């Protein structure tokens, strides 16, 4: 709770600072003040541990600027994720472990610097293809990316917007917030209040449910000795509910830092997407009157759709969307093997979250559940209508949250011994259930295909006789 209070105070301070920051009109002044305040935030949280971030910035910036454009992204990726592992292993090596908030800063810095290296590599590739006459003309941002210097990378790395907990924004989105006039025209206060108004509800639910069903209770002897299998299995529901409310509160507050500062503000016509930014960008119009704006570029979570959508696969799309964009662009689409790219992406996601076994139990279990869900959606949901469709959708919804909750308790328990103790106490019910469901689903699919073939043969024979 102490960490959470510090986290809330810092985010609240950053949100309030945005009221002043977005009114700055001089780009150089905006860069300096944003970076200066971000530097103070990092220093106040990390103390001398800030040396980790400065070292990572220095090495990555040198790689981005001076390494070959063909491999700078791979070199930066290897260095930053390797250092992230070292950073988290300091306690095992006999050194003082960095504070939890410093870990979050290091996580976001990893995404920023590696993402920037990939942006530079993509700009270089586009320029080469255009020069050879085999590609599209370079983008406007490409020349800027290929002329980066140490100071520009420093400003991007330590600007206070997103430095603590994200969301991830591209270098272009950062530059647009500094140089373009949209942040001064969008209704930043209204966008911030729209997010803030629901946070007391999520925070209250978090405090209430965590008081009644604390996660720590699931590690106590009383939990295992005095409660039944049904109670222990049911306990994953309130623990994952607590986790969701905590995440909703934190992510929405981090979005408020962006919206109050004007970061990610674009005209609606630009069709911005989370993490990516504008997809249909046009030059700045002569008149900005009457333009409608949104902050989709920095939208990191869609709480309503996460809760009400029917399937696990769909819910994943609304969760931590800016990080998902990063994983999709720089891991999934770049991974050389199509067969293993999903597993590789989830593995990198787990590594980014931490070194605890719980992250791998949770995140890497998802690709094994998704095919099961897909089978049953195809068998029963897609062709159903009316009340039958509603019933199947509700069953999918229950299955979705059970899957999230059952996997999620591993994410929360963290260590392999605690995870194994819990799963053993419920006889690995979730995994056994999904294995049975997969077998039954495959059998039903084969039977349905065989029945369809018989019907087709019977129809063909009937046609011949006629």
């Amino acid at each position: 709770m102490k960490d959470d209070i510090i986290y809330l105070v810092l985010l609240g301070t950053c949100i309030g600072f945005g009221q002043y920051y977005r009114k700055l009109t001089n780009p150089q002044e905006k860069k300096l003040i944003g970076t200066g305040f971000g530097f103070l935030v990092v220093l106040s949280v990390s103390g001398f541990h800030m040396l980790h971030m400065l070292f990572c910035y220095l090495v990555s910036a040198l790689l981005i600027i001076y390494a070959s454009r063909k491999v700078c992204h791979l070199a930066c990726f290897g260095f930053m994720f390797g250092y992230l592992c070292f950073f988290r292993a300091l306690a095992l090596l006999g050194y003082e472990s960095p504070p939890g908030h410093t870990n979050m800063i290091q996580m976001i810095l990893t995404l920023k610097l590696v993402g920037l290296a990939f942006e530079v590599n993509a700009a270089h590739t586009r320029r080469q293809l255009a020069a050879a006459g085999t590609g599209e003309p370079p983008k406007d941002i490409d020349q800027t990316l290929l002329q980066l210097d140490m100071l520009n990378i420093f400003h991007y790395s330590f600007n206070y917007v997103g430095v603590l907990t994200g969301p991830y924004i591209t270098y272009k989105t950062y530059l647009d917030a500094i140089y373009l006039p949209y942040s001064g025209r969008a209704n930043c206060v209204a966008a911030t209040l729209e997010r803030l108004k629901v946070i007391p509800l999520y925070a209250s639910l978090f405090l209430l449910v965590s008081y009644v069903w604390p996660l720590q209770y699931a590690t106590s002897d009383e939990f295992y000795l005095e409660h039944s299998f049904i109670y222990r299995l049911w306990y994953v529901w309130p623990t994952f509910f607590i986790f969701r409310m905590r995440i909703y509160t934190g992510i929405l507050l981090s979005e408020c830092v962006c919206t109050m500062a004007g970061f990610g503000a674009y005209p609606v016509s630009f069709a911005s997407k989370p993490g990516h930014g504008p997809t249909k960008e046009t030059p700045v119009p002569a008149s900005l009157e009457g333009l409608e704006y949104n902050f989709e570029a920095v939208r990191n979570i869609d709480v309503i759709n996460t809760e009400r959508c029917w399937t696990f696969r769909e819910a994943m799309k609304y969760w931590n969307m800016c990080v998902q964009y990063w994983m999709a662009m720089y891991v999934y689409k770049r991974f050389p093997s199509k067969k293993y790219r999903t597993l590789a992406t989830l593995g990198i996601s787990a590594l980014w979250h931490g070194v605890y076994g719980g992250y791998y139990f949770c995140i890497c279990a998802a690709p094994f559940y998704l095919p099961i869900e897909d089978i049953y959606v195809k068998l029963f949901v897609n062709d159903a209508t009316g009340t039958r469709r509603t019933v199947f959708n509700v069953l999918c919804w229950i299955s979705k949250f059970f899957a999230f909750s059952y996997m999620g308790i591993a994410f929360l328990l963290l260590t392999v011994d605690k995870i194994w103790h819990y799963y053993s106490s419920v006889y690995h019910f979730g995994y056994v259930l999904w294995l049975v469901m997969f077998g039954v689903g495959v059998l039903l699919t084969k039977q349905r295909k065989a029945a369809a073939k018989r019907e087709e043969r019977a129809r063909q024979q009937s046609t011949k006789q006629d």
Side-chain angles (χ1 to χ4, degrees):
M1 296 302 294
K2 179 183 176 182
D3 283 347
D4 287 340
I5 291 171
I6 294 172
Y7 173 77
L8 290 173
V9 169
L10 286 171
L11 285 179
T13 303
C14 290
I15 293 170
F17 186 75
Q19 179 69 8
Y20 157 77
Y21 182 71
R22 74 169 184 276
K23 295 177 181 178
L24 299 174
T25 56
N26 184 288
Q28 294 307 315
E29 184 182 14
K30 204 167 188 177
K31 280 185 181 181
L32 288 171
I33 292 176
T35 303
F37 187 65
F39 200 84
L40 287 176
V41 169
V42 176
L43 184 62
S44 67
V45 170
S46 306
F48 75 92
H49 290 289
M50 187 177 183
L51 292 174
H52 294 291
M53 278 72 81
L54 292 174
F55 178 69
C56 285
Y57 148 73
L58 179 62
V59 174
S60 295
L62 291 172
L63 289 172
I64 291 169
I65 295 170
Y66 297 109
S68 168
R69 308 290 189 183
K70 294 180 180 180
V71 298
C72 68
H73 58 304
L74 299 178
C76 191
F77 185 100
F79 168 72
M80 287 301 297
F81 275 90
Y83 197 88
L84 192 61
C85 293
F86 164 76
F87 174 83
R88 288 162 171 166
L90 286 172
L92 299 177
L93 299 173
Y95 297 98
E96 181 183 354
S97 182
H101 296 303
T102 302
N103 178 58
M104 289 191 291
I105 295 169
Q106 185 70 26
M107 290 169 67
I108 295 301
L109 186 65
T110 298
L111 296 186
K112 278 187 173 182
L113 290 172
V114 176
L116 181 58
F118 272 93
E119 289 184 73
V120 169
N121 169 259
H124 172 73
T125 302
R126 283 192 294 267
R127 188 174 68 173
Q128 283 193 322
L129 292 175
T134 57
E136 297 180 357
K139 298 181 179 180
D140 294 338
I141 186 65
D142 289 348
Q143 192 64 25
T144 302
L145 287 167
L146 295 174
Q147 294 179 344
L148 283 170
D149 58 30
M150 300 291 288
L151 185 58
N152 285 325
I153 297 175
F154 186 81
H155 284 311
Y156 172 60
S157 300
F158 292 101
N159 186 282
Y160 85 96
V161 176
V163 73
L164 185 60
T165 55
Y168 167 74
I169 58 174
T170 65
Y171 186 69
K172 183 183 181 307
T173 300
Y174 162 76
L175 287 183
D176 288 348
I178 298 294
Y179 288 99
L180 297 185
Y182 303 132
S183 61
R185 307 291 299 188
N187 194 338
C188 299
V189 174
T192 303
L193 292 176
E194 182 68 22
R195 289 161 172 79
L196 283 176
K197 69 182 183 182
V198 295
I199 289 176
L201 172 63
Y202 300 144
S204 299
L205 289 172
F206 163 73
L207 292 171
L208 175 62
V209 180
S210 60
Y211 176 78
V212 179
W213 294 290
L215 173 66
Q216 291 79 2
Y217 188 58
T219 64
S220 66
D221 292 336
E222 180 183 341
F223 178 78
Y224 293 101
L225 297 175
E226 298 186 12
H227 291 287
S228 66
F229 156 78
I230 297 296
Y231 182 85
R232 292 195 298 269
L233 182 63
W234 168 84
Y235 208 79
V236 300
W237 288 84
T239 55
F240 188 66
F241 181 85
I242 294 166
F243 178 72
R244 296 205 308 280
M245 295 305 109
R246 187 172 184 267
I247 292 297
Y248 293 163
T249 301
I251 289 182
L252 288 175
L253 282 172
S254 66
E255 285 185 26
C256 288
V257 176
C258 297
T259 56
M260 187 61 89
F263 272 57
Y266 290 103
V268 173
S269 60
F270 282 21
S272 296
K273 290 185 178 180
H276 182 277
T279 60
K280 299 179 180 178
E281 191 168 5
T282 58
V284 179
S287 174
L288 300 176
E289 296 297 329
L291 287 179
E292 184 181 355
Y293 299 89
N294 64 29
F295 288 86
E296 287 298 306
V298 295
R299 190 181 191 190
N300 207 18
I301 198 164
D302 186 335
V303 175
I304 300 302
N305 280 320
T306 299
E307 292 291 322
R308 73 181 182 185
C309 70
W310 300 119
T311 65
F312 188 100
R313 182 179 291 280
E314 190 178 1
M316 288 177 64
K317 298 177 182 178
Y318 301 119
W319 183 276
N320 216 357
M321 292 185 284
C322 293
V323 174
Q324 284 203 56
Y325 165 80
W326 190 97
M327 292 291 171
M329 288 295 295
Y330 305 133
V331 182
Y332 183 83
K333 292 183 178 180
R334 295 272 190 149
F335 197 74
S337 172
K338 291 184 178 181
K339 184 177 180 180
Y340 298 108
R341 60 175 37 166
T342 298
L343 192 59
T345 304
L346 292 170
I348 293 298
S349 177
L351 178 63
W352 179 74
H353 279 88
V355 294
Y356 286 109
Y359 300 136
Y360 298 87
F361 266 92
C362 176
I363 296 173
C364 294
F368 298 99
Y369 174 78
L370 287 171
I372 300 170
E373 181 183 74
D374 292 342
I375 289 173
Y376 282 88
V377 167
K378 187 175 181 180
L379 282 172
F380 299 105
V381 178
N382 287 344
D383 297 329
T385 58
T387 303
R388 180 182 174 88
R389 177 66 174 261
T390 302
V391 171
F392 285 138
N393 277 336
V394 170
L395 291 174
C396 277
W397 185 89
I398 294 171
S399 180
K400 173 193 78 172
F401 270 122
F402 174 72
F404 270 123
S405 302
Y406 190 81
M407 297 177 198
I409 199 166
F411 193 97
L412 297 170
L413 292 175
L414 295 178
T415 59
V416 174
D417 57 333
K418 292 179 181 178
I419 296 165
W420 193 257
H421 188 199
Y422 174 77
Y423 281 153
S424 297
S425 77
V426 294
Y427 310 105
H428 302 277
F429 178 86
Y431 295 119
V432 173
L433 173 66
W434 296 332
L435 184 62
V436 172
M437 288 177 64
F438 180 75
V440 172
V442 169
L443 181 61
L444 291 175
T445 300
K446 288 181 178 179
Q447 290 179 345
R448 180 170 291 190
K449 288 181 178 179
K453 288 181 180 179
R454 288 194 298 269
E455 290 179 6
E456 179 62 21
R457 285 197 298 267
R459 187 187 64 78
Q460 290 176 353
Q461 291 177 356
S462 176
T463 301
K464 289 178 180 179
Q465 290 175 357
D466 294 341

